[in-house]
Amino acid sequence: MKKILILVISLVFPYVLFAQTKTQNVFSKSYNYVNDFEKILTPKQIENLNNVLKKGETKSTHKIIIVTTSSLNPYSNISDYTLDLDKYLINDLKVNASILIIMSEKLRQMRIQGVNKLHSKISDKEIEEIAANFVVPELKKGNYYKGLEDGIAQILKKIE
C-alpha cells in the first residue's frame, strides 16, 4: 500500500508544482502604463502615451495599462492571456488596472478589457465599438501609436 501511495505522489506532485507557476514565468516583474515588449513604438511615443495615461489616471482614478507582446505562450488565446495578466498584476504586483489593452503586431491580435467596476461609465459594447472604430482601422494601416492614442482618448472621454 505504501508503494502505491508513493507512486501516486511521485506522479502527481510535479504537475501540481508546475501548474501553479504558469504566470510567474510568463509575465514581466514590473509594469508601467506602456509596456512595449514587442518594440513597435518609439521612445517618444511611449513617453507621450505614458503622460496621457498618467494624466488620465489622475483625473479619473482609473489606471489603463498597455502591453504589446509578440507571443502569448503558453496561452492559446489573447483572452486567457489578458485574464491571467490581470490576475498577476493584482495578486503579485499589487497593480490594479481598470483597463488592460493587449496588442500583438506579430500575431495580429488585440484585446481591450475593462473591469466590472467601470460598467457604469463604459460598457463592454462601448469598448468593442472604440476598438472597432478607432483602434483597429489604424492598426490595419500599421499606425500602432495613432490607434492606441485614439483609443485611449475615447476611453478617457467615457471614464473621466
Side-chain angles (χ1 to χ4, degrees), residues 31-37 41 45-51 53 64-68 148 152:
Y31 283 84
N32 199 350
Y33 293 100
V34 179
N35 307 276
D36 185 21
F37 301 122
L41 302 169
Q45 290 171 334
I46 292 170
E47 180 183 345
N48 290 343
L49 289 172
N50 272 323
N51 290 336
L53 293 172
I64 299 173
I65 293 179
I66 298 170
V67 177
T68 68
L148 289 169
I152 290 165

Side-chain angles (χ1 to χ4, degrees), residues 2-58:
K2 284 184 180 181
K3 288 181 183 180
I4 293 173
L5 181 61
I6 291 171
L7 179 63
V8 169
I9 290 173
S10 65
L11 291 174
V12 172
F13 188 69
Y15 292 107
V16 171
L17 282 178
F18 290 116
Q20 293 177 356
T21 60
K22 182 178 180 180
T23 58
Q24 293 173 0
N25 297 329
V26 175
F27 302 121
S28 177
K29 299 215 184 300
S30 67
Y31 283 84
N32 199 350
Y33 293 100
V34 179
N35 307 276
D36 185 21
F37 301 122
E38 198 171 15
K39 307 289 184 218
I40 59 176
L41 302 169
T42 67
K44 184 69 175 165
Q45 290 171 334
I46 292 170
E47 180 183 345
N48 290 343
L49 289 172
N50 272 323
N51 290 336
V52 168
L53 293 172
K54 188 174 184 176
K55 286 178 189 171
E57 182 181 13
T58 302

